[in-house]
Amino acid sequence: MTRRPQVDANPRACDGGLARAFAFLGKRWNGVLLGTLANGPAGFAELGRALPGISESVLSDRLGELCRVGLVSRTVREGPPVGVSYQLTDRGAALVPALDALTRWAHENLPAEAGRAGAC
């Protein structure tokens, strides 16, 4: 008697890694902040200007979250005036090719009005 190979009970189950990635990157502003920092280090005010519609408190929360998970680093420059800048870590920079691919896909496949919620 021949044994059939075992088949996953749910072959269409969502990949846990993909779900975690989209839960984190899909959180409003996280992915866009990473994409903005892909252009190089930036200060808090510069990031705020680059992302119309983000409040200072949300920007601060998102940057703190990105720093805590190790995707962004925060550097304080002694003054006067004291300055703070943010930049991608190696882990954050590893996301840039994926963000670039998503950007290209959106330009080619999504009508502009589909992304108006977080437009920049």
Side-chain angles (χ1 to χ4, degrees), residues 56-69:
E56 287 187 2
S57 63
V58 171
L59 178 57
S60 180
D61 288 346
R62 295 302 181 265
L63 286 168
E65 184 175 25
L66 293 168
C67 287
R68 277 191 300 282
V69 298

Side-chain angles (χ1 to χ4, degrees), residues 3-21:
R3 291 184 68 147
R4 287 182 154 175
Q6 239 180 345
V7 177
D8 186 2
N10 188 359
R12 297 209 185 266
C14 176
D15 180 276
L18 185 62
R20 282 193 319 277

Side-chain angles (χ1 to χ4, degrees), residues 21-107:
F22 272 97
F24 183 78
L25 295 174
K27 189 172 186 179
R28 189 156 189 210
W29 303 112
N30 279 356
V32 177
L33 269 168
L34 291 169
T36 302
L37 288 170
N39 296 319
F44 187 88
E46 184 180 0
L47 289 168
R49 286 189 301 272
L51 303 170
I54 192 169
S55 70
E56 287 187 2
S57 63
V58 171
L59 178 57
S60 180
D61 288 346
R62 295 302 181 265
L63 286 168
E65 184 175 25
L66 293 168
C67 287
R68 277 191 300 282
V69 298
L71 300 177
V72 170
S73 65
R74 179 180 187 267
T75 303
V76 178
R77 294 179 316 275
E78 297 301 320
V82 173
V84 177
S85 68
Y86 297 88
Q87 69 181 45
L88 295 179
T89 62
D90 289 343
R91 288 176 58 196
L95 277 168
V96 172
L99 295 172
D100 287 344
L102 281 170
T103 300
R104 276 191 309 280
W105 177 86
H107 284 295

